[in-house]
Amino acid sequence: MTQPVQPLRCPNCGAPLPDTDADQVTCSFCGTTSRIARDPSGVRRPFMPTPEGLAKLNAYTQQIAREREASDQAQQRTRTRRAVLSLIVGVLIIAISFAILVLAYAVLLR
């Protein structure tokens, strides 16, 4: 019984790769170039990135890390702004409540 053929996937991003008889294939999603390794019986094994593919992979990984860091920083700024706004609203509510109490006390003393 034959094993079902598994689609080839990019080792970098996991996107499906074209089924080809070439020795190398480039992912159309992330641009990583990989070699096709075959065992003696002709069965395809996992892809091994070429030096050029590794360079692209490293650049892509660094880009993702920079984007993630920028996103994390933006989220932290948003959390800080929300916390400051909540604090300001809380202080305003307390100040207004105090002013209402003072006015109510002044009216009662008349």
Side-chain angles (χ1 to χ4, degrees), residues 90-104:
V91 169
L92 287 175
I93 289 172
I94 292 170
I96 291 169
S97 299
F98 183 73
I100 291 171
L101 287 173
V102 169
L103 288 174

Side-chain angles (χ1 to χ4, degrees), residues 14-90:
L17 294 171
D19 189 15
T20 179
D21 288 331
D23 291 337
Q24 293 185 6
V25 65
T26 300
C27 176
S28 60
F29 182 74
C30 70
T32 300
T33 301
S34 301
R35 282 191 295 250
I36 298 176
R38 298 180 189 272
D39 67 15
S41 66
V43 175
R44 293 177 288 186
R45 291 187 286 132
F47 285 73
M48 305 288 291
T50 62
E52 299 84 22
L54 284 175
K56 285 184 180 181
L57 174 62
N58 289 336
Y60 180 73
T61 303
Q62 290 172 358
Q63 175 187 356
I64 294 299
R66 284 190 301 271
E67 290 172 1
R68 181 173 290 146
E69 183 178 344
S71 175
D72 290 346
Q73 289 173 352
Q75 288 176 358
Q76 181 61 38
R77 284 191 300 270
T78 299
R79 284 191 294 270
T80 302
R81 288 179 186 138
R82 286 181 181 163
V84 169
L85 183 59
S86 295
L87 180 64
I88 291 170
V89 168

